[in-house]
Amino acid sequence: MIAGTSFVWDGAALQPDGVISALDRGVLFGDGIYETIRGYNGVLFQLEAHLDRMAQGLRVLQMPVEPTIAQVREALAQLEPLDQGQDLRLRVTVTRGVGGQPWELYQTTGPSIALQCRVLPRLCDILPKVGCSATISDVRRNETSPLSRIKSLNCLDNLLARSQAQAAGFDDVLFLNTADRVVEASTSNLFIVAGKAIFTPPVEEGLLPGITREVVMELAHVTQRPLIAEDLFQADEIFLTNSISEIVPLTHLDGNPIGTGDPGPVTASLYATYRKMTQGT
Amino acid sequence: MIAGTSFVWDGAALQPDGVISALDRGVLFGDGIYETIRGYNGVLFQLEAHLDRMAQGLRVLQMPVEPTIAQVREALAQLEPLDQGQDLRLRVTVTRGVGGQPWELYQTTGPSIALQCRVLPRLCDILPKVGCSATISDVRRNETSPLSRIKSLNCLDNLLARSQAQAAGFDDVLFLNTADRVVEASTSNLFIVAGKAIFTPPVEEGLLPGITREVVMELAHVTQRPLIAEDLFQADEIFLTNSISEIVPLTHLDGNPIGTGDPGPVTASLYATYRKMTQGT
């Protein structure tokens, strides 16, 4: 796999420097889904879980699960093997393709599949050690929308809120839902540590069922329950999870330290266990 | 202007059968905006109002208003003149282009601009006469998001809800916001007629400031005020407005007739006035 490359699957081969039609519904309406997968030392971590989630997204969008997932597998099989010793980020994008009135979901040419691969920035391995800060967004996550629970191409709320947070000096942004309950960060799920207990909001609150979230729930005893902002400020530790940056302590929220204000022991221990798992040891 | 064609602006000329990079943020994140403009007998109706709204969308997305709008004008100037006597639909799409981390809004190659042009389906001129039906969606419009007030490429909520409504036998779908108030239809603004009065919800409720909505407010005395679902069921008439289908009576809502259940006189009169305006008479 060559970092910095972008391919489009033409049905038989990967076309480098891929382009897609300006009429593709991915361009016109953000009509599609994606996955971002981290590759460790030549292996795509949790690939099957990512493809399962993609299948669930296809169902929500009323796109055919098969042959779409089979086509994604064919495309992935044609990537060069990952370089050993280099961690990479792979993005798989699937759009509905070309055709139909906006609300006509079935009259298209079939999906467009694009792959992008790049070397991970070093920051990804620093963040779990130093932690990050966040602010709570004024924009609510809309838990009434099925989009809140899939990884669709409708990403603008996340982009704009995180950009605004960074301009104000924060690393990331947290979202509440329309019922004032805590949901997730711009590209991560959220967990809190309170004493010996670990809590995370359930998917019904309007959040993406993260692959790393799932792994963490296998590695530790986690209780899913609705959380409010007050729970965050009173937590001993908070950590954010996603497939690329893994497990990152959230040490400051809206200027207030969480717990001691330093990365905490429960998060560090989980991160160490997770890292071993990714290294296949 | 040739119907059925799709162009991408390359900075100097319109490229037919246009393609854009699979790395374009329009594809990756739905990171861009669009306008759909109706052309009557060789003239794009309300072009300046559409470009003003596009400029407002660019500001919300923190994209440069200029030279982007100037580039759109250059691209439009290179379209063949519209055929006299044929009504066309023109879509202008502007994405943020290629580059940057998702939340880095300023590090791109500059916008991608695409134009699509097609002959209007005849249905567009039938709907104002026969009216349409709708159901109220379970998905709420998120008025806390700035996206609710611009024409961004994040269209999936509209597409999915309207498709679901059509599968259930309705023509369209209406959205309430998170405060249970009426907002708009999937691609139209909404007005109600109650006695001699006409009402429409204000933009702050979480709706697109429609160009046809604006024209209607110039043609008639309209009061902007929050509306609840009960106001809809008790209305004498309801009509939906957008640039393509113009002014369409909503005669049935969730199976209940609105007023008499036939297109009403206030809507018909407004439509007649609007049509004259579009024909330049």
Side-chain angles (χ1 to χ4, degrees), chain B residues 82-218:
Chain B
L82 281 163
D83 283 344
Q84 292 283 334
Q86 208 170 39
D87 286 358
L88 294 165
R89 173 187 178 278
L90 175 72
R91 175 173 162 143
V92 183
T93 306
V94 175
T95 79
R96 200 186 302 272
V98 174
Q101 291 284 334
W103 52 88
E104 291 170 350
L105 307 183
Y106 308 110
Q107 305 191 3
T108 73
T109 53
S112 301
I113 298 171
L115 305 182
Q116 280 107 31
C117 185
R118 63 182 173 81
V119 175
L120 274 182
R122 283 278 300 145
L123 186 65
C124 278
D125 288 337
I126 295 169
L127 278 177
K129 297 177 181 73
V130 302
C132 71
S133 66
T135 181
I136 296 177
S137 178
D138 292 335
V139 176
R140 297 306 174 95
R141 190 66 90 220
N142 183 3
E143 75 276 15
T144 71
S145 166
L147 302 184
S148 66
R149 295 179 289 278
I150 67 171
K151 207 166 170 68
S152 87
L153 303 179
N154 284 213
C155 305
L156 267 173
D157 266 339
N158 289 329
L159 269 57
L160 294 178
R162 180 153 176 181
S163 172
Q164 189 180 4
Q166 292 199 336
F170 302 98
D171 298 313
D172 205 341
V173 64
L174 306 187
F175 292 95
L176 309 182
N177 65 17
T178 72
D180 286 341
R181 291 195 296 266
V182 176
V183 179
E184 60 188 354
S186 67
T187 56
S188 307
N189 292 121
L190 175 144
F191 293 74
I192 71 169
V193 180
K196 291 190 185 303
I198 306 177
F199 300 102
T200 197
V203 171
E204 295 69 37
E205 295 286 71
L207 56 93
L208 186 74
I211 305 301
T212 309
R213 175 180 180 272
E214 202 61 47
V215 172
V216 164
M217 289 197 292
E218 286 163 16

Side-chain angles (χ1 to χ4, degrees), chain A residues 18-20 22-23 28-31 91 102-103 105 116 140 142 144-145 153-157 159 162-163 166, chain B residues 18-20 22-23 28-31 91 102-103 105 116 140 142 144-145 153-157 159 163 166:
Chain A
V19 292
I20 69 174
L23 291 171
L28 298 179
F29 312 120
D31 190 2
R91 173 173 163 142
W103 51 89
L105 307 182
Q116 279 107 32
R140 297 307 175 94
N142 182 4
T144 71
S145 167
L153 303 180
N154 283 212
C155 304
L156 267 173
D157 266 340
L159 271 57
R162 180 153 177 181
S163 172
Q166 292 199 338
Chain B
V19 293
I20 71 174
L23 292 171
L28 298 178
F29 312 119
D31 191 2
R91 175 173 162 143
W103 52 88
L105 307 183
Q116 280 107 31
R140 297 306 174 95
N142 183 3
T144 71
S145 166
L153 303 179
N154 284 213
C155 305
L156 267 173
D157 266 339
L159 269 57
S163 172
Q166 292 199 336

Side-chain angles (χ1 to χ4, degrees), chain B residues 27-43:
Chain B
V27 183
L28 298 178
F29 312 119
D31 191 2
I33 53 173
Y34 72 107
E35 289 291 325
T36 48
I37 309 171
R38 184 158 167 172
Y40 296 92
N41 292 315
V43 181

Side-chain angles (χ1 to χ4, degrees), chain A residues 7-73:
Chain A
F7 304 96
V8 169
W9 177 245
D10 71 3
L14 291 174
Q15 296 301 331
D17 301 320
V19 292
I20 69 174
S21 167
L23 291 171
D24 193 285
R25 296 171 62 105
V27 183
L28 298 179
F29 312 120
D31 190 2
I33 54 173
Y34 71 107
E35 289 290 326
T36 49
I37 309 171
R38 183 157 168 173
Y40 296 92
N41 292 316
V43 181
L44 292 174
F45 187 63
Q46 297 283 325
L47 174 61
E48 291 306 314
H50 283 283
L51 293 180
D52 283 350
R53 185 172 66 182
M54 178 165 266
Q56 175 55 17
L58 292 169
R59 279 182 212 106
V60 170
L61 296 190
Q62 299 174 54
M63 290 171 66
V65 172
E66 294 299 347
T68 310
I69 294 293
Q71 289 165 347
V72 168
R73 285 186 193 278

